[in-house]
Amino acid sequence: MAYDLITMGRIGVDLYPLQTGVPLPQVTSFGKFLGGSATNVAVAAARLGRRTAVITRTGDDPFGTYLHQALRDFGVDDRWVTPVPGLPTPVTFCEVFPPDDFPLYFYRQPKAPDLEIDAHDLDLDAVRDARVFWVTGTGLSQEPSRTATLAALAHRAKAGTTVFDLDWRPMFWTDPDAARPFYAEALKHATVAVGNLDEVEVATGVREPHAAARALLDAGVDIAVVKQGPQGVLAVSRAGEHAEVPPLPVTVLNGLGAGDAFGGALCHGLLAGRDLETVMRYANAAGAIVASRLECSSAMPTPDEIEAALTAGAVR
């Protein structure tokens, strides 16, 4: 049976401080969580009842073992999560200064195993048959992951829903100009593009939300989703649908997982065939719920929690 969603990209261990408002040098205790944007999207969709899997790689070490266990606990198929001898599983630290300052520190040296995904090892038939396939900009930052990502997109040939998460992380690139050609190539094969204002500017050279959405449609996608932080989210489709949805009121604890929850709920809504505005409101609510919690993967909301937030008009 085909998967509802296959994601491809980062995985790692998030080590998040259990004290908020404290600089990293003064933090005394941390929580350990499954992390990585593409992986968290798969977890979020699984929490909403979807059959999901992730294509990625870990180190051949105890942290890698932990990630396999965590994926299985969350109901995400780990058959395409393989070890890379000699490379450590990445860890990511953050600082938590609510409501809007969450510095990230990536430890992915000498190279992250998830950038060692090789095109020759892909199950291209499974990629093609998945109802939704999700890739990220980080996967384009180095070889062989870059070639593997573009090969998977080309083989899929816009079957079903193909989401390109623009996922701009400047520490993984020399500059935006180095990324832009590879982003343009990925957009040719995607049906949905998702990004915040910084990310759409990297992809299109345009920052104004409506102009950026039009540029993404011109680049080849059918739906452009532009996340605008406090201004909410804009979504525009080639078919003429248009949605501008304000954020759901929430007291933010840690905003880092909100985008991944949004992504998993976006996939869930598209799979359900909902109209664009309904999908955006649902995804916004999912993101807001996770922003009210410390962790990312284990914080992903259930359908009942999202419906309760939508009914209340806020995250309680």
Side-chain angles (χ1 to χ4, degrees), residues 226 228-235 242-248 262 276-285 310:
V226 181
Q228 305 173 77
Q231 303 305 314
V233 61
L234 167 70
H242 180 279
E244 288 192 74
V245 177
L248 206 63
F262 181 100
L276 200 56
E277 181 166 343
T278 300
V279 172
M280 292 303 109
R281 291 189 182 280
Y282 194 87
N284 251 8
L310 288 170

Side-chain angles (χ1 to χ4, degrees), residues 45 57 162 185 195 239:
R57 306 197 73 182
T162 303
E185 183 63 25

Side-chain angles (χ1 to χ4, degrees), residues 15-191:
L15 295 174
Y16 283 1
L18 298 182
Q19 298 110 328
T20 62
V22 178
L24 210 53
Q26 279 73 58
V27 174
T28 58
S29 57
F30 296 85
K32 179 172 98 275
F33 308 101
L34 171 74
S37 180
T39 302
N40 283 337
V41 170
V43 171
R47 187 65 60 86
L48 297 174
R50 297 298 179 175
R51 183 170 184 250
T52 72
V54 60
I55 301 169
T56 190
R57 306 197 73 182
T58 70
D60 188 9
D61 55 23
F63 273 151
T65 300
Y66 160 71
L67 294 176
H68 277 278
Q69 293 171 343
L71 284 168
R72 293 170 191 152
D73 289 344
F74 287 127
V76 177
D77 196 322
D78 65 342
R79 70 181 62 196
W80 296 304
V81 182
T82 57
V84 180
L87 290 180
T89 298
V91 297
T92 302
F93 290 88
C94 79
E95 293 174 304
V96 180
F97 296 103
D100 58 1
D101 187 18
F102 308 101
L104 275 172
Y105 303 91
F106 292 97
Y107 289 79
R108 292 166 61 86
Q109 292 82 22
K111 185 180 184 181
D114 54 61
L115 293 174
E116 284 292 315
I117 300 171
D118 193 288
H120 297 95
D121 298 327
L122 294 174
D123 186 339
L124 290 174
D125 288 341
V127 167
R128 182 196 60 224
D129 293 343
R131 297 177 67 194
V132 179
F133 181 53
W134 178 288
V135 299
T136 75
T138 296
L140 299 172
S141 64
Q142 288 191 45
E143 294 288 6
S145 172
R146 176 185 297 153
T147 293
T149 300
L150 294 174
L153 288 169
H155 185 82
R156 186 166 169 83
K158 293 198 175 189
T161 298
T162 303
V163 184
F164 179 29
D165 174 10
L166 302 179
D167 184 43
W168 168 247
R169 304 285 177 168
M171 67 285 294
F172 301 154
W173 296 87
T174 55
D175 58 61
D177 289 339
R180 197 163 284 130
F182 301 112
Y183 275 53
E185 183 63 25
L187 286 167
K188 293 177 185 176
H189 300 288
T191 63

